[in-house]
Amino acid sequence: MGRLSAVGVSHALKSPGLYSDGEGLILKVDKRGGAYWMCRVQREGKRQDYGLGSAKLLSLADARDKARELRRAVKVEKRDILMERRDEDAAKVIFREAAKIYHGENAAGWKSKVYARQWLASLENYVFPTLGNYPTGRITAADIIRVLTPIWQEIPETARQTRNRICVVLDYAHAKGWRSAQAPSGDGSLKAGRGLPRQTKKLQHRKAMPYIVVHSFMNALRNRPSYSRLALELLILTAVRSQEVRLATWIEFDLTARLWTIPASHMKRAMSHVVPLSDAAVAVLSKAAALKMVGTNHVFPGASGGPMSDMTLLKILRDMGEPYHVHGFRSSMTDWAANAGFPDAVVEAALAHKTPDPVQAAYRRTTYLINEKGQAGHRVMLMDAWGQYCSSDPGTCSVPIEDR
């Protein structure tokens, strides 16, 4: 060192270029008037340049001291200063912030609004409480395993989805420079049988209430009318999913035509779905209209006027001492319809299921809402019969469709 002087630096600041002081210390002055100190060091056979600070704020003597400290750290202490600096930058971005930024930037790419909410909700429920405030650059495989362990065997599918979403956020953080390494691999330490145990729990369908007791349950449900109970009643009568009821707005319903048109954004498959409304379903909507909350267009609003919470309908079942799942009522209707003689294709259409056979899917264009004579189709008959069954004595609507 020693090629430069304080006066020489003062003159150099007026003329763009590179000025070496020796032993790797360099003053760089750009054409726009910017000037900074850098130190060039060989590390493991590769040249690395380290910024030391602005030449307008850092004197020559201070720059020499910082360069000397840096060379010692690299050459003697064998430290990776560039990685340390990246980790310091990463410490400024916590996992919760990174996840929300990623989620927002990819808003246009989610297959549906429902899926977008579910994607973030899995992190809010299972990851943020533990790792939400962790810097993205400091999250390790061990941290991820610690978060996943409580749910890994209990809800295996959700646990695997959560693992993948954590890794997506960490890879995103790596690409943004908030993390020095990519996420731990799902084929490495996060793979079942390695860092995580092999999952042993078999796929279990959500427990469904036997259709023969749905009638008595509906009577009990009607004893204490409320938004949430009316929502559960409509869900049972229409065999839709909980999100479709919770997000329903009044504009979706045509009570004159007795049709509920659910928009694609509320559907699991991101395709709009039309539901025929039975007398019982229309009666539920009439009760909901009488309770309509000012300032919201949701049919069954939550306390704040927005959509009802995910857990509200399940809570009703638990409060009533029922061990069944809300989604199971779709199975209840399916079992009843099979016993009543309705064709499988009609039931599948009512449930908005995807036709598994691609050839059938290509050629089956009917919605079963209107028959070839312009009369009420099989799906209308199905919903009417199911509504009568749920609202009257069991067995009154179990006559096969062929005999109607």
Side-chain angles (χ1 to χ4, degrees):
M1 282 189 185
R3 297 177 189 171
L4 296 176
S5 65
V7 174
V9 169
S10 179
H11 287 298
L13 293 178
K14 301 174 184 177
S15 180
L18 292 176
Y19 303 90
S20 174
D21 186 54
E23 297 186 9
L25 179 61
I26 298 172
L27 170 63
K28 184 173 182 178
V29 182
D30 62 37
K31 295 179 179 179
R32 293 173 295 179
Y36 61 91
W37 296 103
M38 55 184 257
C39 185
R40 182 165 291 169
V41 181
Q42 289 284 331
R43 180 178 182 274
E44 297 179 352
K46 296 181 180 180
R47 191 188 81 181
Q48 293 183 337
D49 291 342
Y50 301 86
L52 301 179
S54 169
K56 297 179 180 179
L57 301 175
L58 200 66
S59 69
L60 174 60
D62 290 337
R64 286 171 175 171
D65 288 341
K66 294 192 73 171
R68 191 176 296 111
E69 291 172 3
L70 189 143
R71 285 198 310 276
R72 176 179 176 80
V74 174
K75 295 291 188 180
V76 179
E77 299 172 7
K78 306 298 183 183
R79 288 163 53 191
D80 187 343
I81 302 300
L82 291 181
M83 180 172 287
E84 289 178 13
R85 288 183 176 180
R86 284 196 294 267
D87 287 344
E88 287 176 5
D89 290 338
K92 301 173 185 177
V93 182
I94 60 176
F95 183 82
R96 177 185 287 103
E97 292 175 355
K100 289 184 176 180
I101 293 171
Y102 171 84
H103 187 263
E105 285 189 2
N106 289 274
W110 301 116
K111 63 183 181 181
S112 70
K113 291 181 180 179
V114 172
Y115 178 78
R117 281 192 295 270
Q118 291 173 339
W119 196 97
L120 191 59
S122 63
L123 298 180
E124 291 173 338
N125 292 334
Y126 305 115
V127 185
F128 289 176
T130 303
L131 299 181
N133 293 325
Y134 269 47
T136 55
R138 297 181 184 175
I139 294 176
T140 64
D143 295 321
I144 300 172
I145 290 170
R146 178 159 51 91
V147 166
L148 295 176
T149 297
I151 62 173
W152 189 249
Q153 300 291 6
E154 185 62 27
I155 44 176
E157 179 60 26
T158 298
R160 290 193 297 272
Q161 291 175 346
T162 302
R163 175 193 61 187
N164 295 340
R165 289 164 187 173
I166 293 173
C167 291
V168 165
V169 173
L170 294 183
D171 279 339
Y172 172 76
H174 172 64
K176 287 286 189 178
W178 304 332
R179 177 181 171 86
S180 59
Q182 292 182 319
S185 172
D187 293 328
S189 56
L190 297 183
K191 184 177 181 179
R194 294 184 183 176
L196 288 161
R198 295 191 182 280
Q199 293 176 321
T200 58
K201 192 168 185 177
K202 296 181 179 179
L203 176 65
Q204 293 183 346
H205 295 291
R206 291 163 177 155
K207 195 171 184 180
M209 180 180 290
Y211 73 84
I212 59 174
V213 299
V214 169
H215 166 76
S216 56
F217 173 76
M218 293 285 274
N219 282 339
L221 194 62
R222 296 186 185 107
N223 286 338
R224 294 167 54 194
S226 65
Y227 277 132
S228 56
R229 287 180 175 238
L230 287 171
L232 183 56
E233 190 175 348
L234 185 67
L235 177 145
I236 295 170
L237 291 169
T238 54
V240 298
R241 299 177 180 87
S242 62
Q243 66 204 22
E244 293 147 22
V245 165
R246 292 186 302 98
L247 302 178
T249 57
W250 284 108
I251 198 172
E252 298 170 21
F253 294 90
D254 183 341
L255 297 184
T256 302
R258 298 165 65 93
L259 294 174
W260 175 14
T261 303
I262 306 174
S265 59
H266 294 180
M267 295 294 297
K268 179 179 180 180
R269 292 178 53 214
M271 296 176 62
S272 63
H273 178 56
V274 179
V275 181
L277 298 172
S278 63
D279 288 342
V282 170
V284 170
L285 291 167
S286 296
K287 294 176 184 176
L291 298 174
K292 193 173 188 302
M293 182 185 293
V294 177
T296 179
N297 196 36
H298 287 284
V299 180
F300 307 107
S304 64
M308 189 176 288
S309 165
D310 287 355
M311 299 303 294
T312 301
L313 301 183
L314 182 60
K315 186 177 184 300
I316 296 173
L317 288 168
R318 297 298 173 261
D319 290 346
M320 295 176 70
E322 298 291 353
Y324 308 108
H325 197 282
V326 175
H327 193 80
F329 285 108
R330 286 162 62 86
S331 294
S332 304
M333 190 278 288
T334 301
D335 291 342
W336 167 85
N339 186 65
F342 284 92
D344 290 343
V346 174
V347 177
E348 292 297 294
L351 296 173
H353 280 169
K354 181 180 180 180
T355 303
D357 187 327
V359 176
Q360 289 187 17
Y363 286 97
R364 182 177 293 161
R365 305 297 172 86
T366 180
T367 60
Y368 301 105
L369 293 173
I370 302 175
N371 64 20
E372 62 278 3
K373 298 178 181 179
Q375 300 169 335
H378 286 172
R379 276 182 57 202
V380 176
M381 298 169 67
L382 170 66
M383 289 292 100
D384 283 344
W386 174 239
Q388 291 175 39
Y389 177 82
C390 292
S391 305
S392 56
D393 292 334
T396 58
C397 294
S398 58
V399 180
I401 190 170
E402 304 89 76
D403 299 336
R404 295 182 191 282

